[in-house]
Amino acid sequence: MSTAATALSPEILAKYQPVIGLEVHVQLLTKTKAFCGCVNQYGGEPNTHTCPTCLGLPGALPVLNRQAVEYAVLAAKAINCEIRETSVFSRKNYFYPDSPKAYQISQFDKPVAEHGWIDVPSFDESGAPITKRIGITRLHMEEDAGKSLHDGFADSLNRSYIDLNRCGTPLVEIVSEPDLRTPDEVFEYLTRLKEILLYTGVSDCNMEEGSLRCDANVSVMLKGAKQFGTKAEVKNVNSFRYIRAAVQYEIERQIGVIEDGGRVVQESRLWNSSEGRTYSMRSKEQAHDYRYFPEPDLPPLVVGAEWQKEIFARMPELPEARRARMIAAYDISEQDAATLTATQSFADSFETAAKKAKSPKRVAALLTTELTMRLRLKELELAQSPVSLDGVVMAADLLEAGTISSKQLKQLLDTAFENNEDFPAVYEREKPQQISDAGAIEKMIDEVIAANPKQVEQYKGGKKTVSAFFVGQVMKLSKGQANPALLNELVARKLDAQ
Ligand code: ADP
Ligand code: ZN
Ligand code: MG
């Protein structure tokens, strides 16, 4: 079997068309579990968030959590699904130590929602940017299992320990159509999906804590083929970056297998991030027989028109719509809008500041670059920033008015972050020297013009953009202290007079 996936030439890779479909499990942020009153909370002393129902004790009956239904329906609507008025819970039977009932309550042939989609940015054959619509087959409700623990015990080698705190946590599973074609599309799809789910507030989507988990189904076929190839399912990937890498690895592995004259087997594979490869976990040649049947302890779930309307009324403005609105309202770039809407709170912060500032564009630039960069270096959240939103507004206004140069701004921000001080305090104390004396600036411009006759000729020849070079040189000469607005004006005037 070929494992040297990277040895494949670009010509061979180009013969194949990868096909990917994703199954995403999302834990819902309800107060209590799906079918009992136990607290739905990550962690805790093992086996303390349990009761007869989630322990699967005989005779204990499930009662469906209303909040879980509402979150599932809200999430489904946000990804453009149709809601099924009457859906059915089913038992999915399998034995595993962390599932004491030996079945999982899930939905099978009548899921609560179907036929949705998410738009993701991608590229066409020629490399031009396009928006691609990825179909969503279904969103169904189910319950999570407990956890088997293997590490950190003196006798870990011989035993597994079971923690059933997670048992019965409400989940939705979101299954995509096999519409994805590249690892980058997979990354974009997941990023968009997570954003939407976060906006709706149905989940915290915390991958480290397992609130969002993704299985990637990958196959390859010769380009132009009519039938998809056999898929392998990659499990146990706990970041979007790793999923992208795992899908890439899996595509190349499968092409390698086929090129070597072998065939891809249907199986589950595990991603090993330290080795950057997938391993076979268990063969799926024989389809699992889960012996699905309708859950006899729960009646069909009916979400009628009235209830749906009530739930839909809670839909917040979703990321895509918010981006479009912000671009129009504040005249910011698509790139800045994408960065600013990554979370609702970041977008809220921007809008609060943008409304107070003279130039929302400058606020956007400050937030997405200078501030974000410094926050990252200190591993701080925006809410922990020493520079407040009002500080950002002040900085943006000073820049806009040309009272400080961008170089001075950077120094002021550095000081603010070093001293853990807000921007206005630093500015009032440091009041950076600003040369606004036209005569002094003109003298420096003359100096620079005399030293750069070649650029002067270029300017006179029609290349007006070289004026930026002169502005830069004079700014340097002034140690960043020349008034930028005045400097720009004087450079243009001086050059035109040459
Ligand atoms: P299974 O019965 O093995 O669970 P499903 O048809 O239910 O398979 O699909 C599960 C996931 O696998 C879906 O996300 C679907 O889009 C994806 N999928 C199905 N067939 C393929 C294929 N040939 N290649 C890649 N992904 C696929
Ligand atoms: Zn319980
Ligand atoms: Mg399936």
Side-chain angles (χ1 to χ4, degrees):
M1 202 172 81
S2 168
T3 49
T6 45
L8 294 167
S9 70
E11 290 75 30
I12 289 180
L13 291 174
K15 279 166 44 188
Y16 291 88
Q17 175 61 65
V19 172
I20 308 129
L22 299 178
E23 295 165 287
V24 176
H25 286 90
V26 183
Q27 289 183 340
L28 300 177
L29 270 180
T30 55
K31 290 197 185 65
T32 55
K33 291 187 181 180
F35 303 111
C36 63
C38 288
V39 64
N40 172 25
Q41 211 174 70
Y42 176 79
E45 189 65 20
N47 300 306
T48 53
H49 305 159
T50 54
C51 73
T53 299
C54 57
L55 290 174
L57 299 186
L61 291 172
V63 177
L64 180 58
N65 182 334
R66 186 181 178 90
Q67 178 79 76
V69 175
E70 296 188 343
Y71 279 172
V73 169
L74 190 66
K77 182 72 177 171
I79 52 175
N80 307 296
C81 285
E82 293 161 18
I83 310 301
R84 184 191 295 273
E85 224 183 86
T86 304
S87 65
V88 170
F89 286 98
S90 291
R91 286 192 184 178
K92 181 179 181 179
N93 297 280
Y94 63 92
F95 176 74
Y96 208 73
D98 58 23
S99 171
K101 294 200 296 280
Y103 61 83
Q104 176 191 28
I105 302 180
S106 181
Q107 294 187 311
F108 182 51
D109 53 342
K110 293 196 178 73
V112 69
E114 291 170 302
H115 311 308
W117 46 264
I118 296 180
D119 283 338
V120 302
S122 186
F123 299 94
D124 70 10
E125 297 274 291
S126 72
I130 53 165
T131 297
K132 204 167 145 183
R133 183 155 291 185
I134 306 301
I136 290 175
T137 316
R138 57 192 272 146
L139 175 149
H140 68 250
M141 299 182 68
E142 58 185 29
E143 58 176 337
D144 212 341
K147 278 184 198 167
S148 299
L149 310 173
H150 307 284
D151 300 326
F153 301 98
D155 50 359
S156 297
L157 277 182
N158 305 320
R159 286 166 201 258
S160 287
Y161 288 79
I162 306 289
D163 176 7
L164 296 176
N165 282 351
R166 198 176 68 176
C167 235
T169 296
L171 297 178
V172 289
E173 178 174 343
I174 299 166
V175 183
S176 88
E177 290 288 305
D179 287 348
L180 297 151
R181 293 291 174 270
T182 65
D184 283 337
E185 285 182 4
V186 167
F187 185 87
E188 289 296 338
Y189 170 88
L190 289 169
T191 305
R192 303 287 150 150
L193 176 61
K194 179 177 165 184
E195 246 176 35
I196 293 169
L197 294 170
L198 282 175
Y199 269 55
T200 56
V202 304
S203 175
D204 62 17
C205 296
N206 184 336
M207 292 191 82
E208 269 130 58
E209 295 183 357
S211 315
L212 188 153
R213 313 196 285 272
C214 174
D215 300 336
N217 298 271
V218 181
S219 69
V220 299
M221 60 182 177
L222 282 171
K223 279 194 180 147
K226 295 222 161 49
Q227 271 223 318
F228 289 166
T230 305
K231 68 173 158 46
E233 182 188 32
V234 186
K235 291 178 166 292
N236 193 31
V237 197
N238 61 7
S239 83
F240 292 173
R241 258 173 243 281
Y242 283 153
I243 291 170
R244 177 162 58 187
V247 168
Q248 180 69 44
Y249 175 86
E250 194 51 29
I251 290 168
E252 294 182 19
R253 183 193 70 82
Q254 293 182 11
I255 292 174
V257 167
I258 296 170
E259 286 288 317
D260 284 355
R263 83 189 167 91
V264 174
V265 292
Q266 187 164 342
E267 63 182 352
S268 294
R269 297 180 67 88
L270 278 184
W271 167 251
N272 182 313
S273 58
S274 52
E275 293 176 35
R277 55 162 295 176
T278 62
Y279 283 95
S280 180
M281 182 168 87
R282 61 171 182 252
S283 165
K284 234 189 171 184
E285 283 285 65
Q286 272 82 41
H288 270 287
D289 185 3
Y290 290 123
R291 297 180 293 115
Y292 277 102
F293 61 85
E295 166 61 60
D297 292 336
L298 287 168
L301 168 62
V302 180
V303 188
E306 277 294 290
W307 194 11
Q308 287 186 30
K309 228 174 92 186
E310 212 177 285
I311 298 168
F312 297 163
R314 288 171 223 158
M315 188 69 73
E317 183 180 31
L318 293 174
E320 204 57 59
R322 186 159 196 180
R323 272 191 277 281
R325 180 179 58 75
M326 280 175 30
I327 289 169
Y330 305 109
D331 191 28
I332 57 177
S333 70
E334 246 172 76
Q335 175 65 45
D336 279 353
T339 312
L340 291 165
T341 52
T343 65
Q344 270 158 322
S345 69
F346 198 29
D348 289 345
S349 300
F350 164 72
E351 291 206 67
T352 306
K355 282 181 187 133
K356 294 186 198 162
K358 297 199 179 74
S359 163
K361 255 184 160 157
R362 291 229 186 246
V363 173
L366 269 180
L367 281 177
T368 55
T369 57
E370 298 300 337
L371 202 72
T372 300
M373 193 180 82
R374 286 173 177 79
L375 289 172
R376 265 195 209 138
L377 279 176
K378 295 227 157 186
E379 295 182 9
L380 295 175
E381 300 292 324
L382 183 59
Q384 303 164 304
S385 171
V387 175
S388 67
L389 285 180
D390 284 338
V392 170
V393 172
M394 179 178 184
D397 285 351
L398 287 168
L399 266 183
E400 181 66 13
T403 314
I404 57 171
S405 66
S406 57
K407 187 169 170 211
Q408 289 172 330
L409 170 83
K410 285 178 201 201
Q411 286 164 349
L412 292 170
L413 286 176
D414 283 343
T415 308
F417 272 77
E418 266 160 41
N419 301 355
N420 198 24
E421 267 180 300
D422 202 351
F423 184 84
V426 177
Y427 177 75
E428 289 309 327
R429 189 181 60 241
E430 313 253 314
K431 270 282 166 65
Q433 288 280 327
Q434 175 84 263
I435 305 173
S436 297
D437 169 3
I441 295 177
E442 276 178 285
K443 235 179 95 194
M444 287 187 281
I445 297 174
D446 288 341
E447 209 175 299
V448 172
I449 283 179
N452 296 281
K454 215 173 82 204
Q455 281 80 355
V456 174
E457 283 314 310
Q458 286 174 348
Y459 185 88
K460 281 160 74 178
K463 200 172 166 209
K464 300 291 176 197
T465 48
V466 286
S467 70
F469 163 80
F470 287 97
V471 170
Q473 291 298 307
V474 177
M475 193 51 103
K476 209 157 143 195
L477 197 61
S478 75
K479 301 195 175 67
Q481 292 176 0
N483 177 315
L486 190 57
L487 173 58
N488 270 308
E489 188 191 315
L490 291 176
V491 161
R493 201 184 303 161
K494 282 264 178 196
L495 284 173
D496 285 335
Q498 289 299 304

